[in-house]
């Protein structure tokens, strides 16, 4: 006996599907060391391979949030962290 392969009615009605795999955002330019005076302001900047990629800033294990101390900016592929009123603990 021989076996035949054929599409079932449900297969013939299904539409083709396309799957997109999102590429991860990578660092095009990593953070550089920055020198600033105590009480002043420092800006840390990085550049990503994807525009408007979500960025989370951390100091060690602590996630930073915008406020009087920290300001986050993002335009296109560039992301910046501005640290105001610098203290020794910010190094």
């Amino acid at each position: 006996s021989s076996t035949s392969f054929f599409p079932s009615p449900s297969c013939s009605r299904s539409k083709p599907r396309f799957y997109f795999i999102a590429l991860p955002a990578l660092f095009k330019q990593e953070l550089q060391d920055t020198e600033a005076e105590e009480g002043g302001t420092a800006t840390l900047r990085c550049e990503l391979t994807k525009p408007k990629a979500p960025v989370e800033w951390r100091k060690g294990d602590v996630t930073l949030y915008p406020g009087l101390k920290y300001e986050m900016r993002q335009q296109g592929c560039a992301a910046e962290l501005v640290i105001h009123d610098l203290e020794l603990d910010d190094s």
Side-chain angles (χ1 to χ4, degrees):
S1 71
S2 62
T3 304
S4 299
F5 293 92
F6 56 91
S8 69
S10 62
C11 287
S12 62
R13 284 197 305 266
S14 66
K15 295 180 180 177
R17 294 181 182 174
F18 298 95
Y19 296 94
F20 295 95
I21 299 172
L23 295 175
L26 303 174
F27 286 108
K28 193 173 180 181
Q29 179 188 353
E30 297 196 12
L31 293 178
Q32 304 294 316
D33 289 341
T34 301
E35 289 187 11
E37 293 185 5
E38 189 174 1
T41 299
T43 301
L44 300 174
R45 185 179 188 276
C46 66
E47 193 172 340
L48 305 166
T49 55
K50 290 175 71 172
K52 299 180 181 177
V55 173
E56 183 178 81
W57 289 94
R58 292 173 171 252
K59 182 183 178 192
D61 293 332
V62 179
T63 301
L64 306 179
Y65 296 98
L68 294 175
K69 180 77 173 176
Y70 302 110
E71 180 183 350
M72 287 82 170
R73 302 175 184 161
Q74 195 163 354
Q75 184 173 1
C77 293
E80 291 182 340
L81 171 67
V82 182
I83 307 171
H84 298 282
D85 194 21
L86 290 169
E87 302 170 306
L88 288 177
D89 289 344
D90 295 319
S91 21

